[in-house]
Amino acid sequence: MSLRVLVLNPGSATLKFGLYQMPAATLLARGLVDRIGTPRSELKMFVTGQEPKIEPVAAKGSGQAAKQIIRRLLSRPEGDARSPASIDAVG
């Protein structure tokens, strides 16, 4: 069975993440929300096979940062099969 696992690594002002296809632990996407709690918070996302994305986000705390990460991972441009489209577990 193949699962997509989102791994979160919180810091004081950042939330790093990696999305892995299991059981082979293939990295599908990685990145971070930086400057959490400031008006200059931004999401940096690197999806395998795509150009890196950097965009401002609202992230007053790590909970909001996690929501921003999940929302971006689950959004997929029309017809783009390379983007992750599901998350089966979070840890």
Side-chain angles (χ1 to χ4, degrees):
M1 180 202 277
S2 180
L3 297 174
R4 290 183 176 187
V5 178
L6 176 62
V7 177
L8 300 173
N9 181 5
S12 60
T14 63
L15 180 61
K16 297 177 184 176
F17 69 93
L19 181 65
Y20 297 88
Q21 183 79 43
M22 302 305 281
T26 303
L27 181 63
L28 301 175
R30 65 179 175 83
L32 65 101
V33 175
D34 199 13
R35 296 188 288 266
I36 293 172
T38 75
R40 299 179 333 172
S41 299
E42 65 181 9
L43 171 67
K44 299 175 184 177
M45 184 177 298
F46 307 91
V47 176
T48 303
Q50 296 183 14
E51 292 293 318
K53 297 177 185 174
I54 300 174
E55 61 183 284
V57 293
K60 293 181 181 177
S62 57
Q64 274 190 327
K67 286 180 184 179
Q68 295 286 2
I69 291 166
I70 291 168
R71 188 167 68 86
R72 296 307 193 287
L73 286 171
L74 293 178
S75 68
R76 178 160 80 180
E78 186 78 25
D80 186 353
R82 298 172 300 172
S83 296
S86 67
I87 298 170
D88 300 300
V90 178

